[in-house]
Short mmCIF file of all heavy atoms in Angstrom, two decimals:
data_model
loop_
_atom_site.label_atom_id
_atom_site.label_comp_id
_atom_site.label_asym_id
_atom_site.label_seq_id
_atom_site.Cartn_x
_atom_site.Cartn_y
_atom_site.Cartn_z
N LYS A 197 8.98 47.84 -31.80
CA LYS A 197 9.11 49.01 -32.68
C LYS A 197 7.74 49.48 -33.15
O LYS A 197 7.48 50.68 -33.23
CB LYS A 197 10.00 48.68 -33.87
CG LYS A 197 10.28 49.88 -34.75
CD LYS A 197 11.38 49.62 -35.74
CE LYS A 197 11.61 50.83 -36.65
NZ LYS A 197 11.85 52.07 -35.93
N ARG A 198 6.84 48.55 -33.46
CA ARG A 198 5.47 48.92 -33.85
C ARG A 198 4.78 49.67 -32.72
O ARG A 198 4.08 50.67 -32.94
CB ARG A 198 4.65 47.67 -34.20
CG ARG A 198 4.88 47.14 -35.61
CD ARG A 198 3.89 46.06 -35.95
NE ARG A 198 2.51 46.55 -35.90
CZ ARG A 198 1.44 45.78 -36.02
NH1 ARG A 198 1.59 44.47 -36.19
NH2 ARG A 198 0.23 46.29 -35.99
N LEU A 199 4.96 49.19 -31.49
CA LEU A 199 4.35 49.84 -30.33
C LEU A 199 4.90 51.25 -30.14
O LEU A 199 4.13 52.20 -29.95
CB LEU A 199 4.60 49.00 -29.08
CG LEU A 199 4.12 49.61 -27.75
CD1 LEU A 199 2.61 49.77 -27.75
CD2 LEU A 199 4.56 48.74 -26.57
N TYR A 200 6.21 51.40 -30.24
CA TYR A 200 6.82 52.72 -30.06
C TYR A 200 6.40 53.68 -31.16
O TYR A 200 6.15 54.87 -30.91
CB TYR A 200 8.35 52.59 -30.02
CG TYR A 200 8.89 52.32 -28.64
CD1 TYR A 200 8.56 51.14 -27.97
CD2 TYR A 200 9.74 53.21 -28.00
CE1 TYR A 200 9.04 50.88 -26.70
CE2 TYR A 200 10.23 52.96 -26.74
CZ TYR A 200 9.88 51.78 -26.09
OH TYR A 200 10.37 51.52 -24.83
N ASP A 201 6.36 53.19 -32.39
CA ASP A 201 5.94 54.04 -33.50
C ASP A 201 4.50 54.51 -33.30
O ASP A 201 4.17 55.67 -33.58
CB ASP A 201 6.05 53.29 -34.83
CG ASP A 201 7.51 53.09 -35.27
OD1 ASP A 201 8.40 53.70 -34.64
OD2 ASP A 201 7.74 52.32 -36.22
N GLU A 202 3.65 53.60 -32.81
CA GLU A 202 2.24 53.94 -32.58
C GLU A 202 2.10 54.99 -31.48
O GLU A 202 1.25 55.89 -31.56
CB GLU A 202 1.45 52.68 -32.22
CG GLU A 202 0.00 52.93 -31.82
CD GLU A 202 -0.83 53.55 -32.94
OE1 GLU A 202 -0.50 53.34 -34.12
OE2 GLU A 202 -1.80 54.27 -32.61
N ILE A 203 2.95 54.91 -30.47
CA ILE A 203 2.85 55.85 -29.35
C ILE A 203 3.51 57.18 -29.67
O ILE A 203 2.91 58.25 -29.50
CB ILE A 203 3.49 55.23 -28.08
CG1 ILE A 203 2.65 54.05 -27.58
CG2 ILE A 203 3.62 56.29 -26.99
CD1 ILE A 203 3.27 53.31 -26.42
N PHE A 204 4.75 57.13 -30.15
CA PHE A 204 5.55 58.36 -30.26
C PHE A 204 5.56 58.98 -31.65
O PHE A 204 5.78 60.20 -31.77
CB PHE A 204 6.99 58.08 -29.83
CG PHE A 204 7.14 57.78 -28.36
CD1 PHE A 204 7.39 56.49 -27.93
CD2 PHE A 204 7.03 58.79 -27.42
CE1 PHE A 204 7.54 56.20 -26.58
CE2 PHE A 204 7.17 58.52 -26.07
CZ PHE A 204 7.42 57.22 -25.65
N LEU A 205 5.36 58.20 -32.69
CA LEU A 205 5.41 58.74 -34.05
C LEU A 205 4.04 58.80 -34.70
O LEU A 205 3.92 58.95 -35.91
CB LEU A 205 6.38 57.90 -34.91
CG LEU A 205 7.81 57.77 -34.38
CD1 LEU A 205 8.67 56.96 -35.34
CD2 LEU A 205 8.43 59.14 -34.12
N ASN A 206 3.03 58.70 -33.90
CA ASN A 206 1.65 58.75 -34.37
C ASN A 206 1.32 60.16 -34.86
O ASN A 206 1.70 61.14 -34.22
CB ASN A 206 0.71 58.35 -33.23
CG ASN A 206 -0.72 58.12 -33.67
OD1 ASN A 206 -1.35 59.00 -34.25
ND2 ASN A 206 -1.23 56.94 -33.39
N PRO A 207 0.62 60.30 -35.99
CA PRO A 207 0.24 61.64 -36.46
C PRO A 207 -0.59 62.42 -35.44
O PRO A 207 -0.61 63.65 -35.47
CB PRO A 207 -0.59 61.34 -37.72
CG PRO A 207 -0.14 60.00 -38.17
CD PRO A 207 0.19 59.24 -36.93
N ASN A 208 -1.27 61.70 -34.55
CA ASN A 208 -2.09 62.34 -33.52
C ASN A 208 -1.35 62.50 -32.20
O ASN A 208 -1.98 62.67 -31.15
CB ASN A 208 -3.38 61.53 -33.29
CG ASN A 208 -4.25 61.47 -34.52
OD1 ASN A 208 -4.36 62.44 -35.26
ND2 ASN A 208 -4.86 60.31 -34.76
N PHE A 209 -0.03 62.46 -32.26
CA PHE A 209 0.77 62.53 -31.03
C PHE A 209 0.42 63.76 -30.19
O PHE A 209 0.12 63.65 -29.00
CB PHE A 209 2.26 62.54 -31.39
CG PHE A 209 3.18 62.74 -30.21
CD1 PHE A 209 3.61 61.65 -29.47
CD2 PHE A 209 3.61 64.01 -29.84
CE1 PHE A 209 4.46 61.83 -28.38
CE2 PHE A 209 4.45 64.20 -28.76
CZ PHE A 209 4.88 63.10 -28.03
N THR A 210 0.47 64.93 -30.80
CA THR A 210 0.22 66.16 -30.04
C THR A 210 -1.22 66.22 -29.53
O THR A 210 -1.48 66.72 -28.43
CB THR A 210 0.54 67.40 -30.88
OG1 THR A 210 -0.23 67.36 -32.09
CG2 THR A 210 2.01 67.46 -31.22
N GLN A 211 -2.15 65.71 -30.32
CA GLN A 211 -3.54 65.71 -29.90
C GLN A 211 -3.74 64.81 -28.68
O GLN A 211 -4.45 65.18 -27.73
CB GLN A 211 -4.43 65.23 -31.05
CG GLN A 211 -5.92 65.20 -30.71
CD GLN A 211 -6.76 64.69 -31.89
OE1 GLN A 211 -6.30 64.64 -33.03
NE2 GLN A 211 -7.98 64.29 -31.59
N LYS A 212 -3.12 63.63 -28.69
CA LYS A 212 -3.25 62.71 -27.56
C LYS A 212 -2.60 63.28 -26.31
O LYS A 212 -3.15 63.18 -25.21
CB LYS A 212 -2.63 61.35 -27.91
CG LYS A 212 -3.38 60.58 -28.97
CD LYS A 212 -3.00 59.10 -28.97
CE LYS A 212 -1.56 58.89 -29.30
NZ LYS A 212 -1.21 57.44 -29.35
N LEU A 213 -1.43 63.89 -26.48
CA LEU A 213 -0.75 64.49 -25.33
C LEU A 213 -1.56 65.65 -24.78
O LEU A 213 -1.72 65.80 -23.56
CB LEU A 213 0.65 64.97 -25.73
CG LEU A 213 1.47 65.65 -24.63
CD1 LEU A 213 1.61 64.75 -23.42
CD2 LEU A 213 2.84 66.06 -25.17
N SER A 214 -2.10 66.48 -25.66
CA SER A 214 -2.92 67.61 -25.23
C SER A 214 -4.15 67.14 -24.45
O SER A 214 -4.51 67.72 -23.42
CB SER A 214 -3.35 68.42 -26.45
OG SER A 214 -4.15 69.52 -26.07
#
Side-chain angles (χ1 to χ4, degrees):
K197 185 168 178 54
R198 279 189 60 187
L199 175 64
Y200 273 63
D201 288 350
E202 174 62 27
I203 292 174
F204 292 106
L205 303 182
N206 191 303
N208 297 322
F209 175 88
T210 56
Q211 180 181 344
K212 292 198 297 182
L213 178 56
S214 180

